[in-house]
Amino acid sequence: MSRVLVIGYVWPEPTSSAAGTRMMQLLKFFRNDGYEVLFSTTTRETENKADLDSIGIRTEKIKLNDPEFDKLLEEFQPDMVLFDRFMMEEQFGWRVDNMCPKAIKILDTEDLHFLRKAREIAYKKNEKAEKIYFNSDLTKREIAAIYRCDLSLIISEAEMKLLLSEFRIPKEILLYLPYLIENISESEYKDLPDFEERNDFISIGNFLHEPNWNAVLYIKEKIWPQIRKKLPEAKMQIYGAYATEKVYNLHDEKSGFIVNGQAEDSSEVMQKARICLAPIRFGAGLKGKLIEAMQNGTPSVTTSIGAEGINSELSWNGFIADSENEFIARAVELYSEKNLWRQKQITGFEIINSRFSKEQFESNLKSRLEEIKNNIVAHRRMNFTGEMLKHHLHKSTYFMSRFIEEKNRNRN
């Protein structure tokens, strides 16, 4: 049985974040394909973490700059190592190369962190993101990690295009792999609540993620007061994990702005809502909340950044609006017009079925991994830049790690 070691940035929390959902999809792919899977992470366990034992996945707590990780590699002998975000490759990649040089190294970027950060800075400074990310240390770090791996999984076509055209990364070390979703049948979507059975607007998202907090604040201050004037009976339902006091302080029964905290069942609350609002002004990757809205038959209004990478040439399952006034007008229109709402709902199902086919993209991943496994020497020879970056990282990281290990040993 082949073995895959996953080095997680955090414990997967599919009920809290899209990143958690993505990680669970990858873990289940490997399990269903017959791999023995070991999930490891440096972070503490959380109440919301997935029960990996129940799906046959062993877990291990690991530490940074600790030789015990080398022993884990020696004992487990993985055929593949999956790094959850580039920071994990920076910390542990050199140890994998030293202990298991034949193991295929896979990087799941989740989204391009340098792009998300550059867009946030650009938004706040009113500058172009390109000017920021080309001069960013974060960009250099993430791109270097991509080169050092045998394959990087890219969740958005827009990000694939950026890496191929702007950064000239070889296509052989990249694979477009969006969310892996089962097709929705006509009978399934006909069982969902209809227009008259739904009320209110919904916004949902993990509040540890800055774009989500920014969007909710924007709804509260700019979007919702105008919608409420036109739809005085409607409410704005806010859901999200890790809501802090500043989030709950937005709660206002009088204005119909309801902060609920984390939803026990996100599909249930999404199906009760008539419209999902996501005025996302910066970010990267695919917005899980909007895909989940489509799965649950909930049309949405979002921005160009919110929709990026999801619908391609297809119509949106609602509206894409980047100006404040248009966003408000479209939200009211979609909430009020039954026929339009039903038409947009069907469009959402079409997007899911044509753009996120679990069967198709799992097949693509399996084929690419087999191809790399059978031609690993030639594959790595083609990527000389990656081998060169490994050499320099290993020299610097090795000595720094050994220095920290010695300090920790003396302290104990």
Side-chain angles (χ1 to χ4, degrees):
M1 179 183 290
S2 296
R3 295 174 174 178
V4 59
L5 170 66
V6 179
I7 305 177
Y9 180 65
V10 293
W11 291 97
E13 295 185 11
T15 61
S16 301
S17 69
T21 298
R22 162 70 160 196
M23 177 51 67
M24 290 303 296
Q25 290 174 352
L26 292 174
L27 292 174
K28 289 176 180 178
F29 162 78
F30 284 112
R31 281 297 293 145
N32 293 338
D33 206 36
Y35 284 81
E36 180 181 349
V37 183
L38 170 57
F39 182 89
S40 62
T41 182
T42 61
T43 57
R44 63 179 178 82
E45 295 188 15
T46 61
E47 291 182 0
N48 301 325
K49 81 178 185 71
D51 181 5
L52 299 183
D53 291 336
S54 67
I55 56 173
I57 294 177
R58 173 183 154 197
T59 61
E60 288 283 346
K61 185 75 183 295
I62 57 176
K63 297 178 182 178
L64 296 173
N65 304 304
D66 192 323
E68 288 297 314
F69 182 74
D70 295 345
K71 295 179 182 179
L72 177 65
L73 289 171
E74 188 174 24
E75 174 262 316
F76 189 63
Q77 286 295 312
D79 299 282
M80 295 184 188
V81 178
L82 173 68
F83 301 98
D84 174 22
R85 287 164 261 204
F86 80 93
M87 299 82 81
M88 295 297 96
E89 190 280 334
E90 285 183 330
Q91 291 289 345
F92 295 98
W94 68 275
R95 291 185 182 272
V96 172
D97 290 330
N98 285 345
M99 299 298 298
C100 306
K102 293 183 179 179
I104 295 171
K105 293 169 62 181
I106 309 165
L107 172 61
D108 184 37
T109 58
E110 294 288 351
D111 60 28
L112 291 177
H113 288 58
F114 75 79
L115 180 61
R116 183 191 343 141
K117 189 62 180 178
R119 283 175 170 174
E120 180 180 349
I121 295 170
Y123 163 74
K124 292 176 179 177
K125 291 186 175 181
N126 195 27
E127 295 180 358
K128 288 189 175 182
E130 293 86 344
K131 177 182 175 183
I132 296 166
Y133 63 63
F134 271 116
N135 296 292
S136 165
D137 286 346
L138 188 65
T139 305
K140 297 179 180 71
R141 288 171 56 197
E142 191 163 17
I143 296 294
I146 289 172
Y147 269 107
R148 286 192 297 266
C149 289
D150 297 305
L151 185 67
S152 290
L153 309 179
I154 310 301
I155 203 167
S156 164
E157 283 178 327
E159 293 182 1
M160 275 288 288
K161 182 178 179 181
L162 177 69
L163 293 172
L164 291 169
S165 62
E166 297 290 332
F167 293 95
R168 310 299 174 117
I169 294 177
K171 66 179 184 301
E172 291 82 4
I173 62 172
L174 302 176
L175 178 66
Y176 169 56
L177 191 78
Y179 292 119
L180 309 172
I181 302 173
E182 298 280 2
N183 279 7
I184 302 171
S185 67
E186 185 175 351
S187 61
E188 286 175 318
Y189 66 68
K190 283 189 174 179
D191 285 340
L192 293 169
D194 201 3
F195 179 87
E196 291 87 354
E197 300 171 82
R198 299 170 179 248
N199 293 290
D200 302 337
F201 294 83
I202 189 172
S203 173
I204 191 166
N206 187 326
F207 285 106
L208 295 178
H209 194 52
E210 181 63 23
N212 292 337
W213 163 244
N214 179 273
V216 167
L217 198 59
Y218 183 45
I219 293 172
K220 169 70 174 181
E221 294 176 349
K222 301 292 185 180
I223 302 295
W224 184 244
Q226 298 304 313
I227 292 178
R228 179 75 168 184
K229 284 181 183 177
K230 299 176 181 181
L231 300 169
E233 301 302 315
K235 292 184 175 66
M236 183 71 236
Q237 304 286 349
I238 306 294
Y239 290 92
Y242 301 106
T244 58
E245 185 178 0
K246 70 177 183 180
V247 179
Y248 284 110
N249 284 341
L250 301 180
H251 182 89
D252 182 11
E253 294 275 355
K254 185 177 179 181
S255 69
F257 195 91
I258 313 300
V259 178
N260 299 283
Q262 183 169 359
E264 290 186 16
D265 185 333
S266 58
S267 292
E268 181 181 345
V269 297
M270 190 66 82
Q271 289 178 24
K272 289 180 179 178
R274 189 175 292 179
I275 307 294
C276 175
L277 297 184
I280 299 167
R281 295 186 283 185
F282 53 87
L286 298 180
K287 312 308 176 293
K289 62 177 69 61
L290 293 170
I291 292 172
E292 186 175 21
M294 293 178 186
Q295 288 177 278
N296 288 288
T298 309
S300 64
V301 184
T302 190
T303 59
S304 296
I305 286 182
E308 183 181 70
I310 295 178
N311 62 319
S312 187
E313 302 301 317
L314 299 174
S315 297
W316 189 249
N317 77 317
F319 294 104
I320 299 170
D322 290 314
S323 76
E324 184 179 309
N325 288 339
E326 184 185 5
F327 194 99
I328 293 164
R330 292 301 197 181
V332 172
E333 178 185 7
L334 193 54
Y335 191 88
S336 305
E337 297 186 18
K338 179 169 63 175
N339 290 337
L340 174 65
W341 185 92
R342 286 176 172 164
Q343 173 193 331
K344 294 295 186 180
Q345 183 189 57
I346 296 297
T347 300
F349 301 137
E350 292 170 351
I351 292 171
I352 292 296
N353 290 347
S354 63
R355 298 275 299 154
F356 300 98
S357 168
K358 181 174 181 285
E359 182 179 358
Q360 174 191 337
F361 289 109
E362 284 191 343
S363 176
N364 292 350
L365 176 57
K366 183 175 181 177
S367 296
R368 181 64 74 85
L369 292 177
E370 284 294 322
E371 181 183 337
I372 294 172
K373 179 181 177 182
N374 294 332
N375 301 279
I376 188 63
V377 175
H379 183 79
R380 288 177 175 171
R381 188 180 295 135
M382 174 275 304
N383 180 20
F384 179 78
T385 301
E387 296 301 304
M388 178 178 64
L389 289 169
K390 283 183 193 177
H391 171 79
H392 289 287
L393 178 76
H394 291 188
K395 293 293 184 184
S396 59
T397 309
Y398 173 83
F399 288 111
M400 177 58 73
S401 181
R402 290 291 182 257
F403 171 72
I404 295 172
E405 285 176 25
E406 191 62 31
K407 278 184 65 178
N408 290 341
R409 190 178 296 114
N410 292 336
R411 188 178 300 153
N412 295 332

